[in-house]
Amino acid sequence: MPEDNIDKINFEEISKSAISKPLVSHIYTADPSAHVFENKIYIYPSHDIEAGIPFNDNGDHFGMKDYHVFSMDSIESETADHGVALHVDDVAWAEKQMWAPDAAYKNGKYYLYFPAKRADGIFQIGVAVSNSPTGPFEAQKKAIRGSYSIDPAVFEDDDARHYIYFGGIWGGQLQKYRNNKYDVNNLEPSDIEPALGPIVAMLSDDMLEFAEIPREIKILDENGEPLKAGDNDRRFFEASWVHKYNGQYYFSYSTGDTHYICYAIGDNPYGPFTYQGRILNPVIGWTSHHSICKVNDEWYLFYHDSSLSKGVTHLRSIKVTKIDYTNDGKILTIDPYGLRRAME
């Protein structure tokens, strides 16, 4: 239900049939990264505001300035707002657009990873540190060396190594990079060429830098060939996330302009990952962004839509619903407004 169909939506009926109510209603929130820390659920979303910036394909109207951290004692409990955890004014290298963040824990410290634009309009990824999962977080003086684009997501493997995934095309600027180098003349590949993949790098022991040169991830089709740039229903657009289920790595992501959350499976954190299907059908609003979190032996999808704002695409609300797997490890596709169905 992307924005071009807003006039046809009955929001009262949608509210009745939706499988989740907004977890937060006093402010607008999006891009929820959920984790269980200290036996509680913590959610690290974007904080949507009405910035007064005209809509465009680069997402300039997403003019967020800070992050709030939220917690839940259980999946059914009320959501507590712990206030501002980090503001753009407290990030020396960043000027604007505090987009989708993620968080991680190691050795008694909590780390908030976030993208923002420098004064020259180029996105980088920064990291801020706290002794508490709710912050406040203190940002490092410089962005992570060698970082670029948007949507950082950190995955901790069974051996306690941490990997950071990032990247997004269009406003996320990933199409301007090849082999980690920026060139303003670079464009998206043609429809028949391999699609641009997300980027991954292992994090350093102190969680503040890349431990290696970032590399591109390949997402393959059923024949083992990279998905093509023109395969808009399946190719990567933004919103990387990785979780591990029954010993396999699940890489999930948004297809952007076709509004699906899809997933692919691989046998190591670097991929390649083979496309499997859709996790979430389109939501109200243009964007779709998610995380997947295990809570008390059950798996949950945290996501957002724009139903609370009656379809304003940059004023979103975070939600949650249970994930179901088939016996062979496939994820059942979720319709956000009432229908759950098996993969075809």
Side-chain angles (χ1 to χ4, degrees):
M1 297 185 182
E3 193 171 59
D4 54 2
N5 292 322
I6 289 302
D7 292 341
K8 304 174 184 177
I9 295 173
N10 183 322
F11 286 97
E12 289 187 7
E13 290 302 314
I14 283 292
S15 179
K16 292 176 184 177
S17 65
I19 58 176
S20 173
K21 294 181 179 179
L23 297 177
V24 177
S25 58
H26 64 288
I27 61 174
Y28 289 109
T29 53
D31 314 319
S33 294
H35 297 272
V36 174
F37 297 136
E38 301 176 353
N39 297 314
K40 290 181 68 171
I41 304 163
Y42 290 91
I43 309 170
Y44 302 84
S46 304
H47 175 200
D48 283 351
I49 59 172
E50 183 53 81
I53 300 170
F55 180 97
N56 61 35
D57 284 344
N58 287 326
D60 291 340
H61 48 296
F62 294 100
M64 299 88 94
K65 297 180 178 180
D66 62 23
Y67 299 110
H68 286 231
V69 178
F70 299 87
S71 68
M72 302 169 70
D73 292 326
S74 71
I75 208 70
E76 297 86 13
S77 70
E78 295 296 315
T79 305
D81 182 354
H82 296 277
V84 174
L86 181 68
H87 194 284
V88 68
D89 291 345
D90 298 320
V91 183
W93 61 268
E95 182 183 64
K96 59 184 178 180
Q97 289 180 289
M98 302 285 272
W99 284 10
D102 192 19
Y105 169 81
K106 185 177 181 180
N107 295 338
K109 298 284 187 181
Y110 296 87
Y111 300 86
L112 184 70
Y113 298 87
F114 60 94
K117 278 184 178 175
R118 306 180 316 219
D120 62 1
I122 303 298
F123 270 111
Q124 275 199 276
I125 295 168
V127 58
V129 186
S130 177
N131 292 320
S132 166
T134 61
F137 288 86
E138 182 176 353
Q140 299 295 292
K141 296 187 184 305
K142 295 182 179 180
I144 297 174
R145 186 168 53 248
S147 68
Y148 54 95
S149 197
I150 61 169
D151 291 356
V154 177
F155 166 72
E156 182 181 1
D157 208 348
D158 298 334
D159 59 5
R161 293 178 180 177
H162 290 79
Y163 300 84
I164 187 168
Y165 299 80
F166 58 94
I169 60 175
W170 294 19
Q173 304 175 344
L174 183 62
Q175 70 275 7
K176 299 298 182 183
Y177 290 83
R178 299 294 187 275
N179 298 316
N180 303 314
K181 300 296 184 183
Y182 179 91
D183 187 333
V184 69
N185 296 310
N186 284 335
L187 302 172
E188 288 182 71
S190 70
D191 284 355
I192 61 172
E193 294 180 300
L196 294 174
I199 310 299
V200 60
M202 186 187 297
L203 285 168
S204 58
D205 287 342
D206 64 6
M207 302 288 282
L208 302 179
E209 298 286 350
F210 298 154
E212 59 188 2
I213 296 172
R215 64 185 81 178
E216 184 178 1
I217 291 171
K218 296 298 182 185
I219 303 175
L220 309 178
D221 64 17
E222 63 276 10
N223 299 314
E225 297 295 325
L227 294 178
K228 299 294 192 291
D231 189 353
N232 294 50
D233 283 349
R234 300 193 296 175
R235 64 87 172 90
F236 171 81
F237 188 99
E238 62 186 0
S240 299
W241 190 262
V242 172
H243 75 283
K244 201 170 185 179
Y245 179 78
N246 284 351
Q248 292 188 297
Y249 298 84
Y250 285 62
F251 179 83
S252 48
Y253 58 96
S254 172
T255 62
D257 55 347
T258 49
H259 318 290
Y260 298 114
I261 298 295
C262 293
Y263 74 107
I265 294 177
D267 59 11
N268 77 78
Y270 295 109
F273 298 94
T274 301
Y275 179 87
Q276 301 295 316
R278 299 171 185 168
I279 299 175
L280 184 67
N281 283 333
V283 298
I284 293 169
W286 199 94
T287 69
S288 196
H289 195 120
H290 71 298
S291 62
I292 296 172
C293 183
K294 188 178 184 181
V295 182
N296 294 331
D297 296 324
E298 300 282 1
W299 290 92
Y300 292 89
L301 178 77
F302 290 77
Y303 65 103
H304 70 234
D305 74 6
S306 296
S307 57
L308 186 64
S309 67
K310 298 190 181 330
V312 180
T313 226
H314 58 281
L315 298 178
R316 300 160 292 180
S317 299
I318 58 174
K319 297 185 167 187
V320 64
T321 190
K322 188 173 177 289
I323 284 178
D324 292 313
Y325 296 86
T326 62
N327 290 335
D328 60 357
K330 296 290 184 67
I331 296 175
L332 300 186
T333 305
I334 298 166
D335 189 307
Y337 308 107
L339 179 66
R340 190 182 296 267
R341 66 186 185 189
M343 294 296 300
E344 297 178 354

